[in-house]
Amino acid sequence: MTTTPVLPGRAVCSLPLTFACGAGVGALGGTIVLGGAEFRLPRLIGVFGFAALSAVILNKAMSLMVVRTALPTRLAAVSLSDLGAHRAIAVNLLAGSLLGAWAGASWAVRMRTATLYKVLAVLMVAMAGALILTHTTELGSLGVYPGSGHDGGGDFVGSYESHCFGVNGSRV
């Protein structure tokens, strides 16, 4: 499948507008302790005119940079020993996320462009619903780590992001 990175007829946006969108995405993503990919993808497609596949690929690359940049700060807030106590969950979530991201990426490159736009739209609405659900209701523990009091809602959303949107899904 061949696609152009930017849709025809779209004007190139100014650097101040691009910076303002990036700052807004960062502020929103930081507020809910996410990398911002769920806010960045609609802007890449709607504001900047990227074709769906190009936007997904660029969004993933930016997500990797955000995680790399945020990691030292997040590790300062939560020690590695605290994280190590939950390594079984982290390793399994990471393994599932990597497998899901690989499968999702291979499906995305084989989809027709019109289908990919529809899939992205449905997934973004589902993601919004998942965020609303996990932040407004008490879901309780998934029981993956008995006695931890760990709320499974964050894991569901993180895994959902990684598998469906090709974003990092990390919530360290």
Side-chain angles (χ1 to χ4, degrees):
M1 167 203 296
T2 329
T3 62
T4 55
V6 179
L7 298 174
R10 290 289 185 136
V12 175
C13 293
S14 70
L15 291 179
L17 174 62
T18 306
F19 182 84
C21 279
V25 164
L28 289 170
T31 300
I32 61 172
V33 196
L34 296 173
E38 51 287 309
F39 301 114
R40 194 171 37 249
L41 186 60
R43 283 171 180 74
L44 286 170
I45 293 171
V47 175
F48 300 111
F50 279 85
L53 185 59
S54 297
V56 167
I57 292 168
L58 182 58
N59 197 27
K60 182 63 174 175
M62 285 192 248
S63 290
L64 291 171
M65 293 301 296
V66 168
V67 169
R68 170 62 181 100
T69 303
L71 191 59
T73 303
R74 291 180 178 184
L75 286 177
V78 179
S79 72
L80 283 176
S81 62
D82 289 341
L83 293 176
H86 303 287
R87 70 180 161 276
I89 294 171
V91 167
N92 283 290
L93 183 60
L94 177 61
S97 296
L98 291 173
L99 182 62
W102 177 80
S106 55
W107 294 332
V109 297
R110 291 192 311 251
M111 277 185 208
R112 289 187 6 237
T113 300
T115 303
L116 184 56
Y117 279 112
K118 291 174 186 168
V119 168
L120 288 174
V122 167
L123 291 174
M124 292 301 288
V125 170
M127 178 67 190
L131 283 170
I132 290 168
L133 177 70
T134 60
H135 293 290
T136 59
T137 61
E138 184 63 41
L139 296 178
S141 175
L142 290 177
V144 291
Y145 188 69
S148 70
H150 175 61
D151 181 358
D155 282 346
F156 168 76
V157 174
S159 178
Y160 184 85
E161 290 167 347
S162 180
H163 288 72
C164 298
F165 298 106
V167 298
N168 63 27
S170 63
R171 294 181 179 236
V172 176

